[in-house]
Amino acid sequence: MNMILKTGNVAALAARDKGIQVRNITKTYADHVAVDDVSFDLKSGELLTLLGPSGSGKSTTLMMVAGFENPDRGTINVNGSNIVGVDARKRHFGIVFQGYALFPHMTAMENVEFPLRMRRVAPAERLRLAREMLERVGLGSMTHRRPRELSGGQQQRVALARALVFQPHALLLDEPLGALDKNMREKMQYEIKELQRTLGISILFVTHDQEEAMTMSDRIAVMDQGRILQIGSPKSVYEQPNTAFVANFLGETNMISCHVSGVDAERAVVALGDGQRGAAVVSGSGTALSRDIAARLSVRPENVTILRPGDAVDFRLRGTVKQHTFVGRHSRTIITAGEMDFAVITADAARAAKIAMGDIVDFGWKSEHALVITK
């Protein structure tokens, strides 16, 4: 699909897009705090994802930015002005929901024209802009089809075209790919990223899908119970989670009990339950880390190695293979050691081929792959 806009339109979008600054917004329903003192910046031209489980407050946060809900307190600033209390129609954001909210009695062309009609754009000009946008999203030959005559992916493109045709300040996407099958969802992930790159528009994206967030985002804000627990690049949030929740929610990890016996700014000395000691990396929550406390090591499965003679690691355990599964480009193994099951992901096909259920194996990891977490 070709989403390249004319230079003039790209410049117009870039000029409008100054980013969004959200400061200390809170929203309470009866005795339930849905969003609790949330702050973040949506930078100009970036795709920021609010990622979290159901009920974490991510969609409510987006709805407050969009103007469909008002915060009990806090500010939402665009171009230096607080827009809290401003009608949603006057905020100049493009919005796409999971259900797309297309008008069923209107054609694709009429749906895309609609926001221009509401802005009293002249008929000839809105027809030109709507046709151009539909062509850009690959639907130039389907302008007269109604939503029921379009596939889910095509309906999503109409919704995106409608959200972009009036050159919004930013694009707000609330679980927009949730209704699509896996293949179409992955295709649309790429196309939305290409749209962001081509237009240079800011996108606030809401999802509960960790893989989708990792694939699409410039930055990820991980939410739980109405709060942002951590915000950063996909790489930094994955490799340096601040809390056990972030580590577990953003991919699989092994959480191993340990005792901290020494610590400096970047490293800690820890002891496992079997008495072995080694160094580990201090996570972003390490400011609260001190000597002689209980903690946990987070070790990603891809950083655990089933050992062969001569392999060097800093932490070594022995256990029994409980499960061994081939899953395409890698194998996933569950090893029971003591009272814990360890997950191991092996991309080495030759090594994986020699593993069988019931085998007694040595496995381990290096210090740089062990992250100390206290929360």
Side-chain angles (χ1 to χ4, degrees):
M1 148 179 147
N2 178 13
M3 283 199 173
I4 299 176
L5 291 185
K6 294 179 179 177
T7 304
N9 285 349
V10 174
L13 280 171
R16 291 174 179 272
D17 181 13
K18 304 298 183 183
I20 302 170
Q21 296 78 44
V22 175
R23 295 291 180 268
N24 309 110
I25 59 171
T26 296
K27 184 68 178 179
T28 302
Y29 298 103
D31 59 349
H32 171 63
V33 181
V35 176
D36 187 4
D37 197 34
V38 162
S39 297
F40 62 87
D41 288 346
L42 174 63
K43 300 174 183 177
S44 178
E46 83 164 339
L47 193 155
L48 173 66
T49 294
L50 303 180
L51 172 69
S54 297
S56 61
K58 57 190 188 297
S59 288
T60 302
T61 298
L62 182 139
M63 295 292 276
M64 286 190 283
V65 173
F68 298 116
E69 295 280 0
N70 280 316
D72 300 326
R73 60 178 177 271
T75 62
I76 302 167
N77 295 306
V78 177
N79 296 337
S81 297
N82 182 14
I83 60 172
V84 171
V86 174
D87 187 272
R89 291 171 294 182
K90 297 180 180 179
R91 295 193 182 192
H92 210 73
F93 294 141
I95 305 169
V96 179
F97 299 104
Q98 180 175 335
Y100 312 143
L102 299 178
F103 298 110
H105 62 286
M106 292 185 181
T107 64
M109 176 69 78
E110 291 166 341
N111 267 281
V112 177
E113 272 190 281
F114 184 77
L116 300 174
R117 185 188 298 270
M118 293 298 99
R119 288 163 174 80
R120 299 184 179 180
V121 175
E125 177 66 1
R126 69 175 183 248
L127 185 64
R128 181 187 70 80
L129 291 171
R131 180 177 290 111
E132 179 184 90
M133 187 57 71
L134 282 166
E135 288 174 354
R136 295 303 185 262
V137 299
L139 295 178
S141 63
M142 301 182 184
T143 58
H144 298 294
R145 292 192 185 185
R146 287 179 169 78
R148 67 176 179 273
E149 300 171 303
L150 299 170
S151 69
Q154 290 166 342
Q155 290 180 41
Q156 213 252 15
R157 292 179 189 182
V158 173
L160 284 170
R162 185 177 63 181
L164 287 166
V165 71
F166 59 93
Q167 300 178 357
H169 289 309
L171 189 59
L172 312 181
L173 306 179
D174 190 6
E175 302 272 9
L177 309 182
L180 303 179
D181 62 50
K182 184 176 186 297
N183 289 340
M184 180 54 69
R185 188 164 64 248
E186 290 175 353
K187 180 178 176 63
M188 291 306 303
Q189 287 171 10
Y190 168 79
E191 293 181 351
I192 290 172
K193 278 299 291 181
E194 188 65 12
L195 179 151
Q196 178 214 0
R197 184 191 66 79
T198 303
L199 299 182
I201 191 171
S202 304
I203 299 177
L204 184 62
F205 190 92
V206 165
T207 185
H208 64 273
D209 188 308
Q210 301 94 323
E211 184 176 341
E212 187 168 272
M214 292 289 288
T215 299
M216 298 184 66
S217 308
D218 296 309
R219 289 189 301 147
I220 297 172
V222 182
M223 296 190 69
D224 186 43
Q225 297 182 357
R227 286 183 167 268
I228 291 179
L229 302 183
Q230 187 170 353
I231 186 166
S233 69
K235 179 178 171 63
S236 68
V237 176
Y238 183 80
E239 294 183 353
Q240 291 280 324
N242 279 346
T243 68
F245 177 89
V246 174
N248 281 304
F249 193 78
L250 202 68
E252 186 177 16
T253 194
N254 296 294
M255 282 289 181
I256 306 135
S257 296
C258 66
H259 188 86
V260 178
S261 59
V263 64
D264 60 27
E266 297 180 353
R267 292 274 175 168
V269 177
V270 300
L272 303 188
D274 62 2
Q276 66 177 303
R277 290 174 173 271
V281 178
V282 175
S283 77
S285 61
T287 51
L289 196 62
S290 61
R291 294 183 59 180
D292 198 29
I293 63 168
R296 285 177 287 181
L297 292 185
S298 170
V299 185
R300 297 290 186 187
E302 63 269 25
N303 292 324
V304 182
T305 303
I306 296 175
L307 303 174
R308 294 181 295 200
D311 285 345
V313 291
D314 298 304
F315 293 90
R316 179 184 292 261
L317 297 173
R318 176 167 291 182
T320 303
V321 175
K322 178 180 179 180
Q323 187 181 94
H324 184 61
T325 310
F326 175 72
V327 284
R329 289 172 291 182
H330 62 266
S331 294
R332 184 174 184 275
T333 306
I334 302 297
I335 302 171
T336 301
E339 297 181 353
M340 182 175 173
D341 286 346
F342 291 80
V344 183
I345 291 177
T346 306
D348 185 337
R351 183 176 300 210
K354 297 179 180 179
I355 301 168
M357 288 180 59
D359 286 352
I360 305 297
V361 297
D362 290 328
F363 64 100
W365 57 89
K366 295 184 178 180
S367 290
E368 60 262 34
H369 295 142
L371 186 72
V372 184
I373 292 179
T374 58
K375 295 181 182 179

